[in-house]
Amino acid sequence: MIRNATAADMSELARLCLLMHEESGFSDVTVNASKGTDFLVYAISNPDRFKVTVAEDDSGVHGMHIGYVQDYWFSDDIAGYDVLLYISPNKRGGMSGIRMIKSFENWAFSKGAVEVRPGCTTGISPEMTKELHERLGYETVGYTFRKVR
């Protein structure tokens, strides 16, 4: 089941965020749990700008998606962007990711977005993520780079 997240989901969202952090290319960046919680509360509390979705089954919450709409820095047009899409490793390959992406797309377009521009910055399964989005009709338009000091 895919549904909008609520404040009651905070502990599960935080758990998934920590799992994602450990698995990602951000794992060497320190976590400020308070800052992360503040962001999640803000996103859930601002449903006109953010959509926070969870995927759950009988075993509990196993996936999350956070996206938002915003005007371009150079235009009054609006686009939909994602903050994150994460699915527990043992639940990947099912329909949860597709359903969360489609739910976000529908929401973003209903908010007036002219396009949706997700990305993959975590380094978690980038080829799988690319193939999934291409199957859903997205085109690849760029890359993400990283340089560490």
Side-chain angles (χ1 to χ4, degrees), residues 1-5 50-55 65 67 69 85 95-111 116 136 138:
M1 178 175 81
I2 304 303
R3 63 174 175 77
N4 291 334
F50 286 89
K51 181 165 179 63
V52 184
T53 310
V54 296
H65 181 278
V69 290
L85 168 64
M95 294 298 293
S96 294
I98 292 170
R99 289 182 178 135
M100 287 190 290
I101 291 167
K102 296 300 280 180
S103 177
F104 174 68
E105 282 177 10
N106 291 333
W107 174 84
F109 289 132
S110 79
K111 295 290 184 187
V116 175
L136 293 174
Y138 289 86

Side-chain angles (χ1 to χ4, degrees), residues 107-128:
W107 174 84
F109 289 132
S110 79
K111 295 290 184 187
V114 297
E115 67 177 355
V116 175
R117 285 188 167 252
C120 181
T121 60
T122 61
I124 301 172
S125 306
E127 286 304 314
M128 178 186 280

Side-chain angles (χ1 to χ4, degrees), residues 33-109:
S34 177
K35 186 174 184 177
T37 298
D38 288 348
F39 173 75
L40 291 170
V41 168
Y42 178 79
I44 289 171
S45 301
N46 287 279
D48 286 338
R49 181 157 181 230
F50 286 89
K51 181 165 179 63
V52 184
T53 310
V54 296
E56 69 179 342
D57 59 18
D58 293 339
S59 64
V61 174
H62 62 267
M64 64 187 288
H65 181 278
I66 302 174
Y68 64 98
V69 290
Q70 180 174 315
D71 57 334
Y72 298 93
W73 64 269
F74 59 88
S75 172
D76 293 330
D77 287 344
I78 295 170
Y81 301 95
D82 67 344
V83 175
L84 66 86
L85 168 64
Y86 184 75
I87 300 167
S88 298
N90 63 330
K91 298 290 184 172
R92 292 181 191 154
M95 294 298 293
S96 294
I98 292 170
R99 289 182 178 135
M100 287 190 290
I101 291 167
K102 296 300 280 180
S103 177
F104 174 68
E105 282 177 10
N106 291 333
W107 174 84
F109 289 132

